[in-house]
């Protein structure tokens, strides 16, 4: 039997998808319906994209999507572990599903993603959460069908976590959350080891996908109706290192922008330490590339940036922003900031506020420093008092919000292209969409416009979003 199973990927997974498909199909005939699944995603865009791949495999083997995790036949938690104590929330939800499993004994519960790359979490599940059936990490999400097959055959808890990624498995199915936009991985992992961050430990060393795999995937997506693509990597700027081809991120960006039918191109995340002038030039010269850069600052103090191992200074960051704004005057800048890193003084914090005021971000994700065990920063002395952090966090948030409100106000009355994404959940008859700078606009319209790019007049700025109306032919 074993000898019939292919050893090469993706053939091996195609074999298991077909095997599980048979089991599911036979079961569906007995039960009179196909089983349902729910993938619950925590964390960043990488995880969101991984969840689309997991959903693709599940759909491919015969599962249909459930409305909620309680009534799904298979629930998969795709976890994030960037902050300490993220596990409390997860285990609360996993614990609750025990009741659902008592009602539906065939229910399958899986946990995967970044948290499962931590040995102590896996041990905890093995010991205390016996009702969890599948456990796997970030490096082998492509193996879902094989892991599920092993469980269906043995009815045992299957734990399959790889310590590092030995290869990139291409050409497996995926099921997109949105018909008209998609993330596309260009690199996996991270080599930067910022001292507060767990990502390099749970996502492994950086690997770039081959350029033709990326462009082929995007061409396929476009043929399938995708208008907007976001290139994904923990540091997209280091794309190309280690590949046989001589290619860097600027060249890839230029190549992707040439793809016919693709209307909008974004990327996340460019590390400020190596965003090249070449990339700025490509952005400037390509209409399809959104004039938006998410440029994580983390701190405005050169001393703290050094302790964070970010490899840039307050001055070099501001200089980079100056060069970007000179080349692309209407660029929208957004950022991530951490408050309360070990040893952060009031002066350091004032440097952060100063950068925020000079750069004038359109929006910013502000985080309270989390003492993430397993990272070098967790062992640093001078961890900051939570009351002081709270005070700084509030001041930062106020500054960020005031500036964002002033920025959005400036665009009031302008007409801009909007990619229509959803029905507005709160306003009957309204739609929501995204501007090129990723800010949200709400406006009246019918749902047939979802997935289209329409011109919207921004009537009223509301801080981080707008109320608008679709431009009429008379305007
Ligand atoms: N690769 C991206 C960030 C990925 S993690 C980059 O380099 O910018 C997303 C964000 O989580 C980070 O930008 C950082 O602001 C935040 N973050 C990571 N570790 C953190 C920690 N220990 N405490 C608080 N915020 C953290
Ligand atoms: Fe974490 Fe730094 Fe890598 Fe971003 S670049 S994922 S913050 S280590
Ligand atoms: Fe992303 Fe969280 Fe993992 S931020 S890479 S899902 S630890």
């Amino acid at each position: 039997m074993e000898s019939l199973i292919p050893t090469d990927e993706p053939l091996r997974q195609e074999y298991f998808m077909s095997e599980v498909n048979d089991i599911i199909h036979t079961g569906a005939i007995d039960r009179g319906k196909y089983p349902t699944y729910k993938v619950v995603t925590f964390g960043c865009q990488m995880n969101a994209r991984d969840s689309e791949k997991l959903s693709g495999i599940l759909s491919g083997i015969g599962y249909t999507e459930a409305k909620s995790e309680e009534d799904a036949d298979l629930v998969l938690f795709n976890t994030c572990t960037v902050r300490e104590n993220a596990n409390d929330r997860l285990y609360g939800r996993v614990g609750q599903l025990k009741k659902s499993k008592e009602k539906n004994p065939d229910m399958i519960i899986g946990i995967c993603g970044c948290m499962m790359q931590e040995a102590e979490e896996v041990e905890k599940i093995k010991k205390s959460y016996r009702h969890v059936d599948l456990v796997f990490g970030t490096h082998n999400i492509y193996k879902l069908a094989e892991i599920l097959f092993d469980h269906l055959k043995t009815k045992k808890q299957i734990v399959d976590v790889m310590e590092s990624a030995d290869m990139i498995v291409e050409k497996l199915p995926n099921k997109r959350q949105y018909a008209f936009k998609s993330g596309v991985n260009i690199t996996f992992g991270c080599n930067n080891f910022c001292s507060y961050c767990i990502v390099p430990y749970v996502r492994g060393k950086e690997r770039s996908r081959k350029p033709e795999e990326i462009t082929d995937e995007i061409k396929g997506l476009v043929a399938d109706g995708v208008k907007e693509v976001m290139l994904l990597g923990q540091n997209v700027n280091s794309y190309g290192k280690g590949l046989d081809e001589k290619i860097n991120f600027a060249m890839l960006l230029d190549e992707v922008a040439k793809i016919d039918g693709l209307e909008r191109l974004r990327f996340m995340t460019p590390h400020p330490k190596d965003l090249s002038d070449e990339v700025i030039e490509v952005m400037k010269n390509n209409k399809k590339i959104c004039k938006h850069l998410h440029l994580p600052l983390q701190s405005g103090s050169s001393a703290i940036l050094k302790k964070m191992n970010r490899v840039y200074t307050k001055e070099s960051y501001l200089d980079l922003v100056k060069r970007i704004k000179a080349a692309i005057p209407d660029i929208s800048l957004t950022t991530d900031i951490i408050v309360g890193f070990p040893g952060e003084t009031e002066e350091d914090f004032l440097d952060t506020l100063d950068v925020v005021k000079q750069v004038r971000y359109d929006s910013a994700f502000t985080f309270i420093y989390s003492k993430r065990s397993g990272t070098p920063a967790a062992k640093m002395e001078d961890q900051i008092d939570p009351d002081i952090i709270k005070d700084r966090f509030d001041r930062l948030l106020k500054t960020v919000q005031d500036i964002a409100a002033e920025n959005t106000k400036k665009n009031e009355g302008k007409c801009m292209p909007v990619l229509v994404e959803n029905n507005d959940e709160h306003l009957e008859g309204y739609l929501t969409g995204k501007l090129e700078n990723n800010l949200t606009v709400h406006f009246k319209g019918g749902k047939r416009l979802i997935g289209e790019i329409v011109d919207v007049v921004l009537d009223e700025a509301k801080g981080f979003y707008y109320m608008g109306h679709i431009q009429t032919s008379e305007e």
Side-chain angles (χ1 to χ4, degrees):
M1 170 74 182
E2 183 69 26
S3 62
L4 289 175
I5 304 173
T7 47
D8 288 349
E9 299 294 5
L11 284 181
R12 185 176 172 87
Q13 294 315 310
E14 282 163 11
Y15 167 86
F16 281 109
M17 277 190 266
S18 156
E19 288 293 302
V20 182
N21 196 356
D22 286 348
I23 302 174
I24 299 285
H25 190 69
T26 316
I29 293 169
D30 291 345
R31 296 189 339 156
K33 71 179 187 70
Y34 278 94
T36 58
Y37 77 91
K38 185 83 193 165
V39 178
V40 182
T41 312
F42 299 92
C44 67
Q45 312 272 359
M46 303 287 163
N47 260 20
R49 184 63 181 151
D50 284 352
S51 286
E52 292 185 342
K53 296 177 186 170
L54 295 164
S55 301
I57 296 173
L58 292 171
S59 303
I61 59 183
Y63 280 86
T64 60
E65 201 169 352
K67 285 216 168 57
S68 74
E69 58 199 69
E70 284 78 20
D71 51 35
D73 297 303
L74 186 154
V75 182
L76 202 49
F77 293 98
N78 191 6
T79 59
C80 170
T81 190
V82 85
R83 260 160 282 278
E84 190 76 2
N85 300 330
N87 47 6
D88 292 348
R89 238 178 92 205
L90 172 79
Y91 292 127
R93 285 175 80 162
V94 173
Q96 283 199 333
L97 283 187
K98 220 172 176 169
K99 282 195 221 94
S100 312
K101 198 161 173 165
E102 278 160 17
K103 276 189 247 156
N104 177 7
D106 289 335
M107 183 180 194
I108 294 171
I109 301 173
I111 311 184
C112 62
C114 295
M115 206 186 282
M116 295 305 102
Q117 292 299 137
E118 296 175 275
E120 59 272 37
E121 300 301 334
V122 174
E123 281 315 307
K124 194 189 273 178
I125 295 171
K126 280 194 196 161
K127 219 171 114 207
S128 312
Y129 293 87
R130 296 298 311 167
H131 69 294
V132 172
D133 306 291
L134 321 172
V135 175
F136 53 103
T138 55
H139 301 308
N140 55 354
I141 58 159
Y142 65 87
K143 271 181 81 177
L144 173 60
E146 182 172 348
I147 294 167
L148 187 56
F149 179 84
D150 288 348
H151 171 71
L152 291 170
K153 285 285 166 207
T154 61
K155 299 289 172 208
K156 291 207 172 112
Q157 184 179 65
I158 308 290
V159 177
D160 187 348
V161 179
M162 287 157 73
E163 234 169 70
S164 61
D166 45 357
M167 58 184 163
I168 299 177
V169 178
E170 298 282 358
K171 302 207 167 43
L172 281 167
N174 70 76
K175 186 170 182 285
R176 294 193 306 279
Q177 195 185 347
Y178 297 95
F180 48 85
K181 69 170 184 179
S182 181
V184 171
N185 301 100
I186 64 166
T187 64
F188 298 98
C190 181
N191 285 354
N192 291 301
F193 292 94
C194 302
S195 63
Y196 50 82
C197 184
I198 198 75
V199 171
Y201 307 92
V202 294
R203 286 271 168 180
K205 62 176 193 299
E206 186 185 271
R207 290 141 283 146
S208 291
R209 283 178 76 193
K210 292 198 175 87
E212 60 274 18
E213 296 284 4
I214 298 169
T215 47
D216 281 357
E217 180 178 350
I218 298 174
K219 283 176 193 160
L221 289 167
V222 169
D224 197 32
V226 165
K227 298 210 163 96
E228 177 179 306
V229 158
M230 183 185 272
L231 304 177
L232 299 174
Q234 293 298 354
N235 175 13
V236 290
N237 297 315
S238 54
Y239 174 77
K241 287 186 189 143
L243 287 176
D244 296 337
E245 297 87 336
K246 269 217 146 346
I247 183 160
N248 60 24
F249 181 57
M251 290 153 78
L252 178 77
L253 201 55
D254 203 34
E255 208 47 49
V256 172
K258 284 188 196 136
I259 294 175
D260 271 346
L262 179 68
E263 294 190 35
R264 273 185 176 182
L265 181 57
R266 311 178 176 279
F267 53 87
M268 256 245 305
T269 306
H271 194 308
K273 79 177 160 69
D274 41 25
L275 182 80
S276 67
D277 286 333
E278 221 184 323
V279 169
I280 301 173
E281 204 50 33
V282 172
M283 284 185 81
K284 181 181 159 183
N285 296 332
N286 264 297
K287 271 214 163 76
K288 283 186 194 174
I289 305 175
C290 291
K291 292 198 177 65
H292 171 219
L293 269 175
H294 185 71
L295 208 56
L297 172 67
Q298 313 301 4
S299 168
S301 150
S302 296
I304 294 295
L305 286 168
K306 191 157 197 285
K307 285 178 76 178
M308 286 178 162
N309 192 28
R310 289 292 286 180
V311 203
Y312 53 86
T313 61
K314 177 183 182 185
E315 291 69 31
S316 67
Y317 184 96
L318 285 172
D319 181 62
L320 172 64
V321 168
K322 210 162 126 192
R323 279 184 282 134
I324 296 169
K325 286 186 172 175
I328 313 166
D330 50 348
I331 189 89
S332 166
L333 295 172
T334 57
T335 199
D336 292 351
I337 299 170
I338 298 175
V339 183
F341 185 82
E344 185 188 74
T345 62
E346 177 63 17
E347 281 68 42
D348 292 323
F349 174 69
L350 291 176
D351 271 332
T352 300
L353 278 188
D354 185 41
V355 175
V356 169
K357 286 177 190 160
Q358 290 199 47
V359 177
R360 301 187 60 80
Y361 300 102
D362 282 339
S363 76
F365 293 111
T366 48
F367 302 103
I368 285 180
Y369 166 71
S370 170
K371 189 179 167 186
R372 190 64 194 76
S373 50
T375 65
K379 294 200 200 81
M380 289 180 187
E381 284 168 15
D382 313 326
Q383 301 282 334
I384 310 292
D385 181 85
D387 290 339
I388 296 177
I389 299 185
K390 176 79 174 74
D391 172 65
R392 288 180 190 159
F393 184 82
D394 292 345
R395 283 150 66 203
L396 174 66
L397 197 63
K398 169 104 181 56
T399 309
V400 163
Q401 284 173 343
D402 287 351
I403 292 172
E406 286 165 25
N407 286 357
T408 45
K409 194 95 192 148
K410 277 197 199 130
N411 284 332
E412 257 182 11
K414 286 191 188 157
C415 179
M416 292 189 180
V418 170
L419 176 58
V420 187
E421 297 204 334
N422 274 315
N423 279 321
D424 197 315
E425 280 178 21
H426 306 289
L427 275 174
E428 181 76 28
Y430 276 72
L431 299 166
T432 69
K434 288 271 162 72
L435 292 167
E436 209 176 296
N437 66 8
N438 226 8
L439 289 187
T440 302
V441 192
H442 304 260
F443 51 97
K444 251 192 196 144
K447 72 172 191 214
R448 68 181 168 80
L449 290 176
I450 292 175
E452 299 295 320
I453 295 178
V454 295
D455 288 330
V456 175
V457 181
L458 309 175
D459 297 317
E460 199 187 348
K462 296 269 198 184
F464 289 118
Y465 69 95
Y466 292 96
M467 298 304 295
H469 70 271
I470 297 177
Q471 191 182 39
T472 55
S473 47
E474 297 90 63
E475 280 180 275

